[in-house]
Amino acid sequence: MTAIGRRYNASFQQTMLRIKDPKVSVPFYERHFGMKLVHRYDFPQWKFSLYFLERPRDAAAAALPSPGTKASEAYLWSMTGTTLELTHNHGSEEDDSFSVWSGNCGSDLPAESPLFRAGVVRGFGHIAFNVEDVYAMSAALEAAGVAFQKRPDEGRMKGLAFCLDPDGYWIELVKREEGLFPEPQNLSQTMMRVKDADRTIHFYRDILGMDLVRAMHIPGDFTNYFFANLTPAQREAMADPESAEARAAVKTLWQPVLELTHNHGTEKDDAFHVHTGNSEPLGFGHIGFLKPAGRGEGLLIAGERRASFSRLPRRRPRGDVQGDGAGGRPLPQEAAGRRHEQPRIRPRPERLPGRARAARRLVRRRVLQLLRSGARRVQHARGTPFRVSVCRWASPLPTARRCARRARGVRPTADAATPG
């Protein structure tokens, strides 16, 4: 059975993070990581704004439309890349007590850990950028005043680093092959913790249609699963996810992957639930998948992590997937309904008896034959018990039963036979 996400050509398109001050956060990502503001939404009536940033290829950056225009909105909902969606609740920049939760402090850590925090379990982990030289990048960032959670030579894992953005979200710096891309860095990961590895693999691979590109096992501790939306050519070239070659193969991708971390044993603990970031303490909001316009309507599939499907074109962003304001404050009922109502799916018609279904198929076939033969239009007869949905023309015959008997002998009327 084809996965739902692959059936609708859905792809990983956004990671939403709440921020305190866009005048600080947006320039931070633009200046240090080459990201571009591709579009923004302002909702003064609901007191929040959304900023979408992408790390485009340098050759394409000059052609990006100005943010906040219809052209930039069209680009956002038709792009093939992945964005950071930064959500700003108006007024938070003036609140000295405001802070967001990075996702890396929780009660699932030992009590003596500096990251221990009672009352919450770790969930979201970090985003990541691949760079050619982690040490040089770290030194440049530190010289520019960027704070670090871990420098390349600290801790057990040497050669990788974690810096902090203005709101305290962790940004991992990962080494990639030299000369792979001319750009100095590329957005490469969104990491989230999960409870049950088997359910997670089933959800992202078999339902959302992502490809499992790597599995990294640390016996007795944790396993990292890496998922990506691959093209057929990339899928053909990708190594087995359990092989040693998979590590290098993942780093050849320009687009980011989802890194899902399973700490062994949590699947057996009924009381264990990761914190999504959409209730106190607030921070990470959701990941989003974009489907091209055309087939079907938008979908919302809920699992261990919220994944929102966006349909093109779209006039208004989904915003916070839980139905409250982007900062957790309730919206007015009318406004909340407009922002968060699910895309309307056309209801399935009642199933007709077998004879009527056969008659309808004959009507459709005959209408198409008439139109292809030069008929300009096909008149609707009031006695017809159903409408022809193909091409939006109605049956020209008085009844379905007579249609079934005389379909082959029907001829277009003089009016209908007039060439278009």
Side-chain angles (χ1 to χ4, degrees):
M1 180 178 176
T2 304
I4 294 176
R6 196 168 293 182
R7 189 189 312 162
Y8 288 92
N9 297 319
S11 60
F12 177 37
Q13 196 249 3
Q14 61 184 244
T15 297
M16 189 276 252
L17 304 174
R18 296 175 178 88
I19 60 172
K20 178 175 183 175
D21 190 345
K23 294 181 180 179
V24 176
S25 295
V26 172
F28 172 87
Y29 284 100
E30 290 179 329
R31 180 169 61 251
H32 298 303
F33 296 99
M35 302 197 80
K36 302 293 183 183
L37 179 63
V38 296
H39 189 60
R40 63 177 287 176
Y41 286 103
D42 294 299
F43 300 98
Q45 68 274 39
W46 298 315
K47 299 182 179 180
F48 77 97
S49 297
L50 305 177
Y51 300 82
F52 294 86
L53 292 92
E54 179 194 14
R55 188 16 172 143
R57 303 302 300 265
D58 286 348
L64 291 175
S66 299
T69 63
K70 289 185 178 180
S72 65
E73 183 180 38
Y75 173 80
L76 174 65
W77 301 122
S78 61
M79 65 188 299
T80 57
T82 306
T83 64
L84 289 181
E85 177 189 351
L86 304 182
T87 297
H88 169 235
N89 296 298
H90 298 173
S92 61
E93 68 278 13
E94 301 172 356
D95 183 358
D96 294 337
S97 64
F98 179 89
S99 63
V100 298
W101 178 65
S102 72
N104 293 298
C105 302
S107 59
D108 54 322
L109 289 168
E112 62 274 12
S113 170
L115 296 176
F116 176 85
R117 178 170 177 171
V120 66
V121 175
R122 294 177 300 165
F124 170 76
H126 60 261
I127 61 172
F129 287 87
N130 286 357
V131 298
E132 291 188 356
D133 190 332
V134 174
Y135 290 88
M137 182 70 172
S138 299
L141 290 172
E142 196 161 17
V146 176
F148 271 76
Q149 181 69 31
K150 177 193 174 303
R151 294 174 179 81
D153 283 333
E154 295 176 342
R156 293 178 301 172
M157 303 181 71
K158 309 297 182 183
L160 61 83
F162 288 90
C163 66
L164 302 175
D165 86 343
D167 292 285
Y169 293 113
W170 293 20
I171 303 174
E172 184 178 11
L173 303 178
V174 182
K175 180 175 175 57
R176 74 184 186 203
E177 180 184 342
E178 294 185 9
L180 185 62
F181 302 115
E183 294 81 3
Q185 68 282 111
N186 62 289
L187 181 64
S188 60
Q189 292 177 15
T190 291
M191 183 279 227
M192 303 183 297
R193 296 173 181 88
V194 299
K195 176 177 180 175
D196 190 317
D198 292 337
R199 291 180 60 195
T200 295
I201 293 173
H202 168 69
F203 179 73
Y204 285 96
R205 182 187 62 192
D206 303 331
I207 297 179
L208 295 190
M210 302 187 79
D211 296 275
L212 177 61
V213 293
R214 186 189 175 200
M216 184 186 79
H217 305 281
I218 307 297
D221 195 355
F222 66 91
T223 299
N224 288 337
Y225 298 95
F226 298 83
F227 290 85
N229 289 112
L230 302 179
T231 64
Q234 289 174 328
R235 194 173 296 121
E236 191 71 25
M238 195 58 58
D240 183 278
E242 298 284 350
S243 67
E245 294 77 15
R247 178 181 181 183
V250 170
K251 294 181 181 180
T252 64
L253 300 174
W254 172 264
Q255 74 268 31
V257 300
L258 280 180
E259 177 188 354
L260 305 179
T261 297
H262 170 233
N263 293 303
H264 300 168
T266 56
E267 71 279 8
K268 301 175 183 178
D269 184 357
D270 293 338
F272 181 89
H273 296 283
V274 296
H275 186 65
T276 66
N278 290 301
S279 58
E280 293 293 341
L282 296 168
F284 164 82
H286 62 261
I287 58 173
F289 289 74
L290 186 70
K291 67 167 289 295
R295 183 176 182 180
E297 296 291 338
L299 301 174
L300 179 67
I301 300 179
E304 284 191 275
R305 284 292 179 276
R306 290 189 177 272
S308 62
F309 273 72
S310 304
R311 179 180 177 272
L312 307 180
R314 193 169 103 173
R315 291 298 180 192
R316 215 176 271 279
R318 290 182 57 84
D320 200 322
V321 295
Q322 283 203 327
D324 56 359
R329 294 191 294 272
L331 291 172
Q333 187 65 30
E334 182 183 358
R338 285 200 304 270
R339 276 185 62 211
H340 303 288
E341 65 174 340
Q342 296 301 313
R344 288 173 292 183
I345 308 293
R346 179 179 297 175
R348 197 170 191 174
E350 294 185 9
R351 191 171 180 84
L352 297 172
R355 185 176 296 177
R357 290 201 306 274
R360 182 170 63 179
R361 284 195 295 269
L362 288 173
V363 169
R364 286 177 174 170
R365 189 179 307 160
R366 187 56 186 156
V367 168
L368 290 176
Q369 288 174 353
L370 293 172
L371 295 172
R372 288 168 182 164
S373 67
R376 189 172 181 179
R377 59 192 174 89
V378 178
Q379 297 287 355
H380 169 61
R382 291 185 179 181
T384 305
F386 54 84
R387 295 187 65 82
V388 179
S389 57
V390 168
C391 304
R392 298 185 182 179
W393 276 276
S395 167
L397 304 177
T399 64
R401 189 171 296 176
R402 187 177 301 176
C403 154
R405 294 198 304 265
R406 297 173 47 190
R408 291 191 178 183
V410 174
R411 293 291 182 271
T413 64
D415 177 68
T418 306

